[in-house]
Amino acid sequence: MYRCAVIAAAGLSSRMGAFKPLLPFDGEPAVVHLLKTLYVAGIDQIILVTGHRHRELAEVCAPLPGVTLLHNAHYAQTQMFDSLCLGLSQLPPRCDRVLLAPADVPLVTADTVYALAHAGAPLLYPSYQHRCGHPISLNASLVPSLLHHHGPGGLKGALHALPIQPVYLTVDDPFIRMDMDLPADYHALLQLHRTFARRHLYVSQTQYVERAQLAATPTDRTQYFYP
């Protein structure tokens, strides 16, 4: 099975007052931490949709294997769902399963990503304490329906319009619901990160180095597309 992820990182981060994907966690940008976690958990190809400050994102992501950067030239006039659809439109034909998430949910654990990526349900939401979060996991066969959705509600509306019922996967991972819209959200993430996630991060970093060494071929390096 070939597993992909589409991550939206095209926004202006206007409410944060700082560019969210580049905010630091353990000395590295939030987006890099998220991409490494996805890679460690078995995601074969990651499409990162950029917009604002594309060149800086390209620079920090350049060393990462398995990452494709796709630039949304209309990021200032479009929404997150538009960026996700842009990424979904570029999925490789061999993709069997895809995870969707915004870049501002950076601390989801590798265990959660692995469970979502290797599940069999057509549409799967992670759930922590009976509340859903990100990433959302779906069969690639559902992607055309998302791309042809033109109703209201963005990603949520498109998912609700699918002709199937979602399955909810309970995970021991509060980070699936912790985004970074405001400075207070970022500081809360930093605090919980120190008390909850260090065990996961140690494993992730070790496994990341091992997998990156095995997969580090020229074709695995970051690619760039400007549609």
Side-chain angles (χ1 to χ4, degrees):
M1 179 176 285
Y2 195 81
R3 300 171 177 89
C4 300
V6 177
I7 306 300
L12 294 168
S13 303
S14 54
R15 286 189 291 170
M16 174 61 73
F19 190 49
K20 294 186 287 186
L22 296 181
L23 289 173
F25 287 92
D26 278 350
E28 66 182 8
V31 68
V32 170
H33 181 87
L34 175 60
L35 297 178
K36 285 183 175 182
T37 300
L38 293 168
Y39 187 67
V40 164
I43 301 300
D44 299 294
Q45 182 172 344
I46 305 164
I47 297 177
L48 180 70
V49 184
T50 67
H52 184 52
R53 297 174 68 170
H54 166 82
R55 295 189 182 280
E56 291 169 80
L57 287 176
E59 182 177 350
V60 299
C61 294
L64 304 179
V67 179
T68 296
L69 265 69
L70 186 63
H71 186 243
N72 178 2
H74 306 289
Y75 66 89
Q77 294 82 39
T78 55
Q79 305 299 317
M80 182 185 75
F81 182 54
D82 300 294
S83 292
L84 290 175
C85 284
L86 184 61
L88 288 171
S89 70
Q90 298 299 316
L91 287 174
R94 59 177 169 163
C95 177
D96 299 299
R97 192 159 194 92
V98 59
L99 272 60
L100 304 176
D104 68 347
V105 186
L107 296 186
V108 57
T109 68
D111 288 342
T112 294
V113 174
Y114 183 90
L116 292 167
H118 292 75
L123 177 61
L124 193 65
Y125 296 163
S127 173
Y128 177 74
Q129 295 184 348
H130 308 290
R131 301 183 70 187
C132 295
H134 291 284
I136 296 164
S137 175
L138 61 147
N139 285 348
S141 61
L142 297 174
V143 168
S145 295
L146 295 182
L147 292 177
H148 288 95
H149 177 76
H150 299 294
L155 176 61
K156 183 181 293 185
L159 292 170
H160 285 171
L162 292 173
I164 59 170
Q165 292 298 315
V167 173
Y168 299 90
L169 176 69
T170 300
V171 295
D172 183 21
D173 184 356
F175 296 110
I176 66 167
R177 291 196 48 83
M178 298 189 69
D179 59 12
M180 300 188 297
D181 285 336
L182 301 169
D185 301 328
Y186 172 57
H187 293 301
L189 264 175
L190 286 174
Q191 181 62 38
L192 190 58
H193 165 69
R194 296 187 186 103
T195 60
F196 180 90
R198 196 160 301 278
R199 172 174 56 88
H200 296 280
L201 292 175
Y202 174 77
V203 172
S204 293
Q205 294 290 7
T206 302
Q207 292 176 341
Y208 171 79
V209 171
E210 292 174 351
R211 188 179 184 200
Q213 288 173 342
L214 290 173
T217 64
T219 56
D220 286 322
R221 293 300 180 185
T222 305
Q223 304 174 60
Y224 307 96
F225 291 98
Y226 295 84

